Amino acid sequence: MKNNTRIATGAGVTRLGALSELAPRFGLLRVCEFAGKQGMNGEHMHCYYTARAALVIGILTAMIGAVIMLAKNPLIRTILAAVLGGAAIATILNPVVLYPICPNPDMPCNLGIKPLMIVIGIVIVGLAIWLGVSGRSDKKTSA
């Protein structure tokens, strides 16, 4: 993998991680509780926990992207691709299975954040697969 490609891939993963961690809180498609709505009896809404999990997964994804920019060894990049794939699957499953979003289909979190997180996760899965495949071709050419 060329140096510029590695840096561009790492920067793209870092940006996607930052988007997945910041969108539920500060974006146009933020979850209900961060948009000013409150749950019943002062309890947190379902989407609050989804946003908290997205924060952790997004930070992990951004850190993986930063390490990808620094990693020159193809084996390390292949391992990072596997870890990135796991984080991408967690991004997809977060609003659906791990911390399901609100049961009301008309709420803004269902209309905005849920599809956004799934699309971000799918793009990150694609980048992880590409990173893993390109890491394997580097090992074959260098051996």
Side-chain angles (χ1 to χ4, degrees):
M1 177 182 288
K2 292 183 180 177
N3 203 17
N4 292 339
T5 308
R6 177 177 44 86
I7 291 172
T9 304
V13 169
T14 302
R15 288 184 184 130
L16 287 170
L19 179 63
S20 69
E21 73 186 51
L22 296 176
R25 294 176 177 271
F26 305 110
L28 293 173
L29 305 172
R30 67 184 106 169
V31 297
C32 301
E33 199 157 315
F34 292 108
K37 297 179 180 160
Q38 292 293 322
M40 295 177 66
N41 300 326
E43 296 177 5
H44 291 296
M45 299 171 89
H46 292 271
C47 54
Y48 172 79
Y49 297 107
T50 304
R52 298 285 292 201
L55 177 71
V56 173
I57 296 168
I59 289 172
L60 174 67
T61 303
M63 288 172 49
I64 292 170
V67 175
I68 288 170
M69 287 190 279
L70 299 173
K72 293 183 180 180
N73 187 341
L75 178 63
I76 292 174
R77 286 196 306 264
T78 304
I79 293 169
L80 286 171
V83 175
L84 183 64
I89 291 171
T91 302
I92 294 169
L93 293 179
N94 178 27
V96 180
V97 177
L98 299 176
Y99 293 103
I101 294 232
C102 180
N104 183 354
D106 297 328
M107 295 298 276
C109 50
N110 260 331
L111 300 174
I113 286 299
K114 186 176 181 179
L116 177 69
M117 296 303 289
I118 292 171
V119 168
I120 288 173
I122 291 170
V123 171
I124 294 173
V125 165
L127 285 173
I129 291 170
W130 182 78
L131 189 65
V133 169
S134 67
R136 286 187 169 193
S137 66
D138 280 351
K139 284 191 280 187
K140 288 179 184 176
T141 58
S142 65

